[in-house]
Amino acid sequence: MEEKFFVNKINSYENLISIQNQSDKYNLKGLKFFQNNDFENAIVCFFQALNFDKNYSHAYSNIGNVLVQKGEFEEAINMYNNAINLDKNNGLYHFNLGVAFTQLNNGVCAIKSYKKCLELDPQNTKALKFLGNCYTNIKDFDKALKCFRKWEKIDPLNPEPSFLQGQIHIRLGRFNLGWKLYEYGLKDNIRKPIEGYYNDKKELWDGKPFDGNLLVYGEQGLGDQINFGTLITELLEVQQNICIKVDSRLIDLFKCSFPSIKVISEDDKISLNEYDKYISLGSLNKYFRNHTNKFLNSKFERYKVYGHKHKEIKQLFSQINGFKLGISWHSFSDKTGSNRCLSTRDLAKLISVNNINFFNIQYGNVYKQVKEAQLISGKEILRVPFIDLTNDISSVANIINNCDLIISVDNSTAHLAASLGKAVWLLLPYDADFRWMEGLTTSLWYKNVTLIRQSKEGDWSNEINLIYNALNASNINVQP
């Protein structure tokens, strides 16, 4: 009798091993599909794993991961919760749950999940990063800094936690410290300076005048180069011989605005004998914007532009009577673009205001959005027919110069309009870019910009109503 019981136990154990092996087999197969972005087959395999073992927690978590990639965040949360119910002490499951909540802009639940992950795995630097970002999003900057400092101690060779701390300090007006920490963004290509910077063997410029030529590398996106380019006026007071590499679309703008410097495209080669020292454009801030007074006493006035189509644009605008308003409502930024954008309904309400000519200055493929907004509002958004709003920046600048007012979300068009000296009403999301700081209704970068800050995360209704009412006023003023 005892021998038979022993054999049965062995058979049960062997069956369990077989079931676990089958679950592992299908889980690994699903992970391979997942790595190749074959999400449908990946999910099939993970469910096959659950067919063999309904308590196989990894499969639930991996299904959640696939659903996150597909943008099905609510379903992903259900799967992560299934995994957690089976294994409450797996920190990775709590982290993944936090990611799904983050995607749904549910900061409270995301923070709770990341904190639980860190309780189980205090060395999880990704959880510290994401938790710090969550605290930044809700403007609890002290807790955000605490997370980034912990991350920094665990991973001292990683420049990102210092870089993120720098952005917070700049946002809070601690410019001297902030711009110094911002320099960490040049490590690991976080700030993405134009090609050539990291291979440059010349001496890095220290902010002091010297007898020779300085090469300035543009960095990041179009808006960053326009924004940081406003420091060149002060740079010229320190160093006269300058060459700058910028996005090819900005060549004319920089040449017209700074005729004494050499302006070349990001794709152009420059020989070593043409310059003696170099610096990245954003790094000029640590010398020329390290105190509030440096902003207030800026010598920059506005960019100048001519463009080969400026006469045609001016003539077209001269034929249109009434108030002319340029509008841009979308950002294509991978990281934060979705939070900055207006919906087509928000756009439709703005353009429905009578007695105003709305001109499209929005770059990118937004044809569908324009048609939807026009259908909802019954009002047309005018467009200059012969202008490429994405690539012909000089002509976009000319359109802006012929408008009475610009309304824009935070994108490169906003920086262009602001730096041209135009009156700009700038719509900022609740968690705005660090450059716009906190609590200000005017910009330190551009005196002509009115900052309209989102009062409730993800909801523009109050701000759209504010602008709509201001535009409907009998006498339009540039201050909303």
Side-chain angles (χ1 to χ4, degrees):
M1 187 74 176
E2 291 180 2
E3 181 180 352
K4 185 177 179 181
F5 177 74
F6 183 68
V7 170
N8 285 338
K9 287 195 70 174
I10 290 176
N11 290 336
S12 298
Y13 182 72
E14 287 177 343
N15 288 335
L16 179 62
I17 294 294
S18 177
I19 290 171
Q20 288 178 337
N21 285 342
Q22 288 297 320
S23 295
D24 287 338
K25 174 184 173 182
Y26 279 105
N27 186 58
L28 289 171
K29 190 175 180 181
L31 288 172
K32 289 180 180 178
F33 281 123
F34 182 52
Q35 289 170 355
N36 292 322
N37 296 321
D38 187 346
F39 299 144
E40 299 307 320
N41 279 319
I43 284 182
V44 169
C45 289
F46 295 139
F47 272 112
Q48 285 279 24
L50 290 171
N51 283 339
F52 283 98
D53 182 0
K54 64 181 180 181
N55 294 322
Y56 193 76
S57 59
H58 290 326
Y60 284 113
S61 181
N62 287 331
I63 292 169
N65 293 341
V66 174
L67 292 171
V68 164
Q69 291 299 313
K70 294 178 68 177
E72 300 173 17
F73 305 117
E74 295 282 2
E75 288 300 316
I77 287 169
N78 291 334
M79 289 297 168
Y80 291 139
N81 279 326
N82 286 338
I84 289 170
N85 287 335
L86 292 167
D87 185 359
K88 291 181 172 59
N89 294 321
N90 189 312
L92 181 60
Y93 298 164
H94 293 280
F95 173 78
N96 290 340
L97 180 61
V99 171
F101 279 125
T102 299
Q103 293 297 324
L104 289 174
N105 292 320
N106 188 337
V108 174
C109 289
I111 288 171
K112 182 179 178 181
S113 296
Y114 295 136
K115 288 174 74 174
K116 183 62 179 180
C117 170
L118 288 165
E119 180 184 317
L120 297 166
D121 181 11
Q123 302 297 304
N124 191 318
T125 55
K126 282 189 176 180
L128 283 168
K129 174 184 176 178
F130 280 50
L131 179 59
N133 287 338
C134 281
Y135 282 132
T136 301
N137 293 344
I138 64 172
K139 304 186 182 184
D140 193 338
F141 299 116
D142 287 340
K143 288 182 180 178
L145 287 170
K146 186 176 180 180
C147 288
F148 297 144
R149 289 185 191 119
K150 284 184 179 179
W151 175 17
E152 190 176 40
K153 288 181 180 179
I154 295 169
D155 190 6
L157 297 180
N158 190 333
E160 191 173 8
S162 296
F163 175 67
L164 293 173
Q165 289 177 66
Q167 290 184 321
I168 290 176
H169 288 301
I170 295 166
R171 192 167 172 173
L172 297 176
R174 304 167 189 153
F175 299 119
N176 192 40
L177 174 59
W179 290 120
K180 287 178 181 177
L181 292 172
Y182 191 72
E183 288 299 283
Y184 281 88
L186 287 172
K187 299 179 180 181
D188 286 356
N189 201 27
I190 299 172
R191 273 169 48 189
K192 295 180 171 58
I194 283 175
E195 187 176 354
Y197 178 88
Y198 290 112
N199 297 323
D200 205 311
K201 304 301 182 185
K202 291 295 183 75
E203 182 182 349
L204 193 64
W205 189 51
D206 60 1
K208 299 176 182 178
F210 68 97
D211 185 17
N213 296 319
L214 174 65
L215 173 61
V216 180
Y217 287 91
E219 62 174 84
Q220 303 179 66
L222 207 65
D224 303 280
Q225 293 178 44
I226 293 170
N227 178 221
F228 295 150
T230 61
L231 279 67
I232 293 176
T233 303
E234 278 99 326
L235 173 61
L236 283 167
E237 293 185 342
V238 176
Q239 185 65 32
Q240 293 186 343
N241 298 318
I242 301 168
C243 174
I244 185 168
K245 294 187 77 170
V246 294
D247 188 298
S248 58
R249 294 171 291 177
L250 297 177
I251 295 290
D252 290 341
L253 186 71
F254 276 70
K255 281 186 175 181
C256 290
S257 304
F258 309 110
S260 66
I261 72 174
K262 182 177 181 179
V263 182
I264 61 175
S265 165
E266 58 194 331
D267 300 319
D268 291 336
K269 303 296 182 183
I270 182 170
S271 62
L272 292 174
N273 60 6
E274 291 185 70
Y275 69 101
D276 305 284
K277 298 182 181 182
Y278 73 101
I279 193 170
S280 189
L281 184 58
S283 296
L284 296 176
N285 286 287
K286 65 183 178 182
Y287 301 121
F288 302 111
R289 294 292 182 270
N290 56 8
H291 193 279
T292 304
N293 288 338
K294 295 283 186 74
F295 285 92
L296 298 177
N297 298 323
S298 169
K299 302 295 178 62
F300 178 81
E301 294 181 359
R302 62 177 60 89
Y303 282 119
K304 298 175 183 177
V305 66
Y306 300 109
H308 59 288
K309 297 177 182 176
H310 74 281
K311 290 183 179 179
E312 294 97 317
I313 294 170
K314 187 173 183 179
Q315 183 180 10
L316 185 149
F317 272 79
S318 68
Q319 297 170 0
I320 299 174
N321 297 321
F323 195 86
K324 303 171 184 67
L325 192 156
I327 189 163
S328 178
W329 61 90
H330 197 82
S331 170
F332 292 88
S333 171
D334 292 333
K335 292 184 178 180
T336 59
S338 60
N339 293 332
R340 304 181 194 181
C341 300
L342 300 183
S343 69
T344 51
R345 288 199 171 274
D346 289 334
L347 175 61
K349 180 163 186 176
L350 291 181
I351 67 171
S352 68
V353 178
N354 293 321
N355 303 319
I356 293 180
N357 300 294
F358 288 88
F359 282 86
N360 184 358
I361 54 172
Q362 176 60 57
Y363 58 88
N365 183 7
V366 292
Y367 177 81
K368 184 178 179 182
Q369 296 174 27
V370 171
K371 286 299 180 184
E372 287 180 358
Q374 290 180 160
L375 184 64
I376 294 169
S377 67
K379 184 86 176 287
E380 183 181 7
I381 305 178
L382 303 174
R383 174 165 179 155
V384 180
F386 45 82
I387 301 302
D388 179 350
L389 296 174
T390 300
N391 297 304
D392 190 355
I393 299 302
S394 294
S395 292
V396 175
N398 279 305
I399 294 173
I400 290 170
N401 278 335
N402 281 279
C403 289
D404 299 300
L405 172 67
I406 302 299
I407 294 178
S408 181
V409 297
D410 183 10
N411 58 19
S412 60
T413 303
H415 284 289
L416 178 62
S419 61
L420 287 166
K422 271 293 165 182
V424 178
W425 294 358
L426 178 57
L427 285 151
L428 295 177
Y430 183 79
D431 177 31
D433 184 80
F434 70 99
R435 273 170 287 205
W436 305 116
M437 304 180 61
E438 287 296 317
L440 300 180
T441 55
T442 56
S443 168
L444 286 179
W445 296 95
Y446 315 106
K447 299 172 184 176
N448 48 299
V449 173
T450 298
L451 305 178
I452 302 172
R453 297 181 181 272
Q454 191 177 57
S455 56
K456 183 180 179 182
E457 187 175 8
D459 183 1
W460 288 109
S461 57
N462 289 336
E463 292 68 40
I464 295 299
N465 287 332
L466 171 69
I467 295 173
Y468 177 82
N469 292 332
L471 293 177
N472 265 315
S474 56
N475 294 314
I476 295 176
N477 191 300
V478 295
Q479 297 293 330

